[in-house]
Amino acid sequence: MVPETSTPAASGTPPPAIALDLVTRRFDGTRQVTALDQVSLDIPRGEMVSIIGPSGSGKSTLLNLIGGLDRPTSGRVRVDGEALDGLSDDGLTRVRRDKIGFIFQFFNLLPTLSSVENVGLPLHLRGWPRARVAARAHELLALVQLGHRLQHLPDELSGGERQRVAIARALSIYPPILLADEPTGNLDTRTGGEILALIQALHARLGSTVVIVTHDLKVAASCGRTIALRDGRIVEDVRR
Amino acid sequence: MILLRLISWPYFRRHVLRSILTIAGIVLGVAVFVGMHTANQSVLYAFSRTVDRIAGKTELQVTAGETGFAEEVLERVQSASTVRVAVPVVEAVADTRQRGIGSLLVLGVDMTGDRSLRDYDLESGDEAIVDDPLTFIAQPDSIIVSRALADRLDLGAGSGLPLLTAEGEKRFTIRGVMKASGLASAFGGNLAIMDVYAAQKMFGRGRTFDRIDLALKSGRTIAEAQAELGALLGPGFQIDPPAGRGQQFEAILAAYSMMVDISSLFALFIGMFIIYNSFSIAVTERRAEIGILRALGATRRQIRWLFLGESAVTGLAGSLLGLGFGLLVARLIAASIGVLISDVYGVARQADEIATNPALLAAALAIGLATSVAAALIPARSAARVDPVQALQKGRHQVLSAGESRARIGVAAACGALSLACLAAPRMAPAWVGGSRAIFYLGYLLAILVALLLSPLLSLMLARALRPLLKRLRPVEGALAADSLIQAPRRTSASVAALMLSLALVVAFGGMARASYDSIIDWLETALNPDLFVMPSQNIVVRTIRFPPGMGPEIAAIDGVERVQMVRDARIVFRQTPVMVVAVEIDSLEQTARRDPVEGDAASMYRLTAAGEGLMVSDNLAQLQGLKIGELLEIPAPYGVIRLPIVGIVVDYSDQQGTILMDRQVFRKYWQDDSVNVFRVYVRRGASAAGVRQRIVERFAGERQVFVMTNAELKAYILRVTDQWFGLTSVQIAVAVLVAILGIVNTLTVSIIDRRRELGVLKAVGALRGQIRRTIWIEALSIGGIGLALGFALGAVNLHYLLQMIRYDIAGMRLDYTFPVNVALGLVPAILAAALVAAIWPAESAVRRSLVEALEYE
Ligand SMILES: Nc1ncnc2c1ncn2[C@@H]1O[C@H](COP(=O)(O)OP(=O)(O)O)[C@@H](O)[C@H]1O
Ligand SMILES: [Mg+2]
């Protein structure tokens, strides 16, 4: 099979960070739901994109497909030019742990691990030596201004602090792609603003590609590009 | 009970595997209970049926242990006013030398009178011979066999049948064949009948009978006859209904029964823990559901009954399955312990039928049900206490509250103190309290209770201690596995407790086996040191064929023989229990196998016993019957009552119920019997044992049947028999492994459900399948490891109690306490392997689970 590229003419230019080609995702339950319906989308490297849309419009599904947490029913997802459909479960995991950082609405920190341990988790999973893991975790926690909360358990942190730990964890591998699913959805407005500012600062500093799902139009407006979803289709795609 | 159908059934269907595991807990308990008891009963039943069949219409039997008595006793019995008919019997075991047939029980009877007690039920055409018994008697080679045996040997009336007798191989002529029923079906047909006087000669009995079977005059009671005959014959005789032999057999099985009881008790306990585990997990998991039900108006009572109802259904299903499995297991166990019957009859007879006792089955069903409901009591209560508002919010409910821990420690401390008090009681309290076995067993029970109470706290502590270690090993997988144990002690503790109990049993049995082994081997080395043993049968326990004493000098005259000792052993009834009398030439014994007594002075012990002025008893007899050195024993014998003091207590494992050692002259005097069971032969220095053995066999060829066993062969045989007794240990190990698997699967299944989100996050941030699997394996191994640690600790305590039980209640063996390190070391890989096996399925299902669903917010 000849590998196709989305931009065959410009073979010299690097592939987009994220490319979706007629991606459909259906859920077969008691009733069938088409969460994403033939969505095609390119996100170039270094872009910061916000995704908006009403609840149930398929935003999370889109993000999960990009992150390789889920597989499309049909269509193809490429990350850094690599097609995800041919990959095994562990293959997907490798893409994820080398290229993608995840930030969830509900933080998803492991309750029994301290901040440092949570942040070091992806690094340990990659088999890094302890000392290096510790150094990187300290560095990142300092970056998210949590240098004083190293040994705290998630339970002992505020919502904003927890999300910052989660961000530090997502950044621990210096991922080229950062995916955030309503990162401020569970925080009050002020803390939400701070977290967003942090993500933007990191984007500027690390040059990662960022995809952020949000309900907050102000957040959306602060991104270079906004994609609106409805009933599993892209209804709007604007660059500012 | 509409709730059961609406609420429980769907839950069951969603958690089929776990429900099956829960049921398996009860299946295990009930199966072990039913299996072991049924096996036990089957063996007893097979035995008593054999006794019945051989006894025919006999109402009373006169015996003197198994030693036999002089012919003249028959006339005395016949003269009794209560006796209608009394006939003599000689029982012996003869080898057919045919593969697959083995030994026969040969019944020597008096043809003229015996048919009024026993119906031979001869096949037509054979009647003539027995109608004229004199023809039968006139030809001493006459024999009657069962149809089954005739078929198996492919012989008919008139054919010759070679049998091994005391006088070597003899050719008998089959003069009649019994139809396959009643008498002929005892021992599966391995039975033959011959004339009693011919039997005396063939089996080296001299002019003695083994037994007199009698029937009473109509209108006379058994009690009357027993009284009359008792007065007539003196205390050396037992006058009992045939069933009495069953009781004697029961006494032999007593040790085994005791083990069976302990095992089944543990099995039920373990089953209870598995159920408790499942139900408390279910309650935690279904809190939201319970909250909704409560919010919808269900009362606390209804909630409690819902859970109790579920446990009753589970218990019933488990018990029914357990019955089925139990009967299967019984078949296996019965086959292995059926061999014990040969200890009484010399003819191995397996319990081919399983005696299903409806009462036992009903009891098992009730116990299974009760265990299940009892195990669910606490979870049901906590379910009923669920607060509807709190239940609908999420939170951690698994943690042991500080208050509960303190309460547990308090109760455990109290129980522990009491248990120690029970241990100290024999030394501190007055004898009537301290010596009481009830106190001892109370202490035992309390000790186990302490272990159970403390097991959640201890496993928590061990998990905490394990965490840094696991974290060093695997920073993510190890730490998370330990956290999983620390976070949800309830999830883990019941599995650990079940594992602890079953391992404690294995360790204790293993320790006991080890100690008995050492002790028995020690005895074998010192007491059984002759080079050769000359016996009349291949089967050591057969005491029904004996040698005349004249053979002694004949063997001694054989080239290469240094010394010959004549041994006569026989089981007699002493203080209502069967014990073994061993009569030897004590002065000769002192020179070859002198041993230090446990109590008494070696020199005077041998001197007094040899002079017929004292007796030596085995340590186990002394322990079991509370005998002291210097105590005057009264042993009723056919020719008077022996009244001699105990001059020494020695270790001797000839018999489980105990042994009395006396000089040969004493036995000859009180039993008027100088026959010999075994010649102990010492080979002259420089002569080869094999050569001497060959010469002995050749010397008696064609004249007498002799089997010569070397020292090594005899030891191997005794150790083999010992092994059979400890076969139970292997059953226990199997149960322990099963418990480990059941408990760990149960715990892990829940653990991966509880940790869904956590495992999802792990995967989302880059954990490979192998890493997810590994954390679950590590969790399983940790549970196994903690179970092992606690099991060894409780096992160490359990072993102490078991040894005490062995010493005072079972076998009278004084065993040294040594922790069975080998058994323990062997268990480590077994249990850890079981843990890994248990983790396979949960780990795979954790790996397979959809990531998106795991990460979904509630
Ligand atoms: N695992 C799932 N099973 C079934 N349906 C799902 C699943 N995940 C999402 N859906 C459905 O797909 C649609 C899109 O969901 P989602 O992507 O979560 O929406 P959003 O994040 O925009 O709120 C919804 O209708 C949702 O019910
Ligand atoms: Mg969403």
Side-chain angles (χ1 to χ4, degrees), chain A residues 1-9 11 15-16 19-22 75-85:
Chain A
M1 203 172 80
V2 182
E4 9 165 345
T5 41
S6 52
T7 50
S11 55
L20 272 70
D21 193 13
L22 292 175
R76 169 168 293 179
V77 179
R78 281 199 193 78
V79 171
D80 256 357
E82 187 180 3
L84 300 187
D85 39 338

Side-chain angles (χ1 to χ4, degrees), chain A residues 60 64 69-70 89-90 93-94 96-97 104 106 108 110 112-113 117 121-122 124-125 130 155 169, chain B residues 396 467 471-472 475-476 480 483 487 757-758 761 763-769 771 851-852 855 857:
Chain A
S60 297
N64 290 340
L69 295 180
D70 197 8
D89 200 63
D90 277 350
T93 304
R94 284 206 177 82
R96 209 157 48 227
R97 78 180 190 191
F104 305 92
F106 290 97
N108 278 335
L110 298 193
T112 58
L113 302 185
E117 287 173 328
L121 195 62
H124 277 308
L125 287 172
R130 278 157 225 276
D155 272 355
R169 183 178 68 188
Chain B
R396 278 199 257 146
R467 191 183 192 272
K471 197 179 165 196
R472 277 232 76 78
V476 177
L480 289 179
D483 287 339
Q487 289 307 305
R757 205 180 172 80
E758 174 183 316
V761 172
K763 247 183 130 179
V765 301
L768 299 174
R769 281 171 172 236
Q771 292 173 311
L851 248 179
V852 180
L855 290 172
Y857 15 102

